[in-house]
Amino acid sequence: MTIVKLEPSKHVAERWLCWLEDGSCIRVTENEVVSFALYSGMEVSDELYDRLIEAAGRSTVRAKALDYISHRPMSRKELVDKLTAKPPRTRDGRERQPLAAPEQAAEIADWLEDLGYLNDAEYAKTIARHYSAKGYGDRKVKDELFRRGVPQQYWQEALLEAQPPEDGVDEFLRKRFRGQAPDQKELKRASDALARRGYNWSEIREGLNRYGADIGEE
């Protein structure tokens, strides 16, 4: 087949439309235009066609992966899951294929890690700083790291980035009681709320004592 027209897309940046003589169109990126030296009038063999389709598909998924991580940081597992997720059916009920097979998604994750755009260790620290700054304890941070698929080998170092638990507990109690002396029921509700926010009993008890409530060791 022959390429009868090669033109940049009017709607998608860095995409080119490669029109063939049979009326079909291959959507490629600038990378394929350069690496395959594409031009109008070029003869495309069956072998070259297959290679072009494969390369264009890989570039499309890479671009989508870059788009995902540019909108928000994510773990390797989150990215792979997103790339391999099965899309909703079309309006007429037909199934649609995921963006990438697991092997291709893993390959793209490797590529992004090599570039430094995907880094589970740094992502774990970001999560720890974010949730501790919002007043959550270590248990909540660990829950978030688990939910986001961050390997446990990065957790301990990440927790070193979290603000001291007493800061979060003290801030919560100041806002909760507003300088007032709470009764036992209020203390119990505050303790339960802090526990739900991921603090352990030792951290809660010490915080209540700093606030002025006389809490025993039990």
Side-chain angles (χ1 to χ4, degrees):
M1 285 186 288
T2 303
I3 298 176
V4 295
K5 185 189 295 185
L6 182 65
E7 60 181 355
S9 171
K10 297 178 181 178
H11 306 291
V12 181
E14 298 185 8
R15 174 179 287 177
W16 286 69
L17 305 178
C18 181
W19 295 93
L20 302 177
E21 60 183 328
D22 65 355
S24 62
C25 178
I26 305 175
R27 291 167 176 80
V28 299
T29 68
E30 291 182 356
N31 182 60
E32 285 76 55
V33 173
V34 173
S35 60
F36 286 88
L38 301 179
Y39 60 91
S40 295
M42 179 179 179
E43 290 292 330
V44 179
S45 66
D46 290 344
E47 179 187 358
L48 179 58
Y49 178 85
D50 291 341
R51 287 169 48 210
L52 184 57
I53 290 293
E54 181 182 357
R58 183 167 56 249
S59 291
T60 297
V61 180
R62 283 187 172 189
K64 196 65 178 177
L66 282 168
D67 183 59
Y68 285 150
I69 64 175
S70 69
H71 281 83
R72 73 167 181 86
M74 59 179 59
S75 69
R76 177 190 175 99
K77 183 179 185 301
E78 285 179 305
L79 177 64
V80 169
D81 286 349
K82 203 166 183 63
L83 291 175
T84 57
K86 194 170 184 179
R89 290 175 178 266
T90 61
R91 291 184 177 180
D92 58 5
R94 289 179 298 171
E95 289 190 353
R96 292 191 291 182
Q97 295 301 310
L99 278 171
E103 299 80 9
Q104 186 184 29
E107 178 188 330
I108 290 172
D110 290 341
W111 171 66
L112 291 171
E113 285 178 336
D114 290 341
L115 292 175
Y117 295 152
L118 200 62
N119 188 319
D120 277 353
E122 291 304 315
Y123 180 59
K125 294 176 184 177
T126 299
I127 294 299
R129 289 192 294 266
H130 174 75
Y131 280 93
S132 66
K134 289 173 69 69
Y136 291 101
D138 283 0
R139 194 173 67 247
K140 171 65 173 178
V141 173
K142 290 179 180 179
D143 287 346
E144 284 298 319
L145 292 173
F146 176 81
R147 185 175 69 84
R148 296 163 187 264
V150 178
Q152 290 192 23
Q153 67 198 70
Y154 302 121
W155 291 13
Q156 199 57 44
E157 186 175 356
L159 289 171
L160 297 176
E161 299 281 321
Q163 71 174 15
E166 56 266 27
D167 291 356
V169 172
D170 291 351
E171 178 68 14
F172 177 87
L173 294 176
R174 280 195 296 270
K175 291 181 177 179
R176 181 91 175 198
F177 297 140
R178 302 178 182 275
Q180 303 299 311
D183 59 25
Q184 289 301 311
K185 287 184 178 180
E186 291 171 329
L187 288 174
K188 177 65 166 58
R189 285 195 290 268
S191 297
D192 291 345
L194 284 166
R196 289 193 297 271
R197 296 180 75 83
Y199 294 100
N200 62 44
W201 171 238
S202 175
E203 294 163 344
I204 296 169
R205 185 188 67 244
E206 291 170 5
L208 290 171
N209 284 333
R210 286 193 299 273
Y211 186 80
D214 187 12
I215 305 298
E217 295 293 324
E218 62 180 48

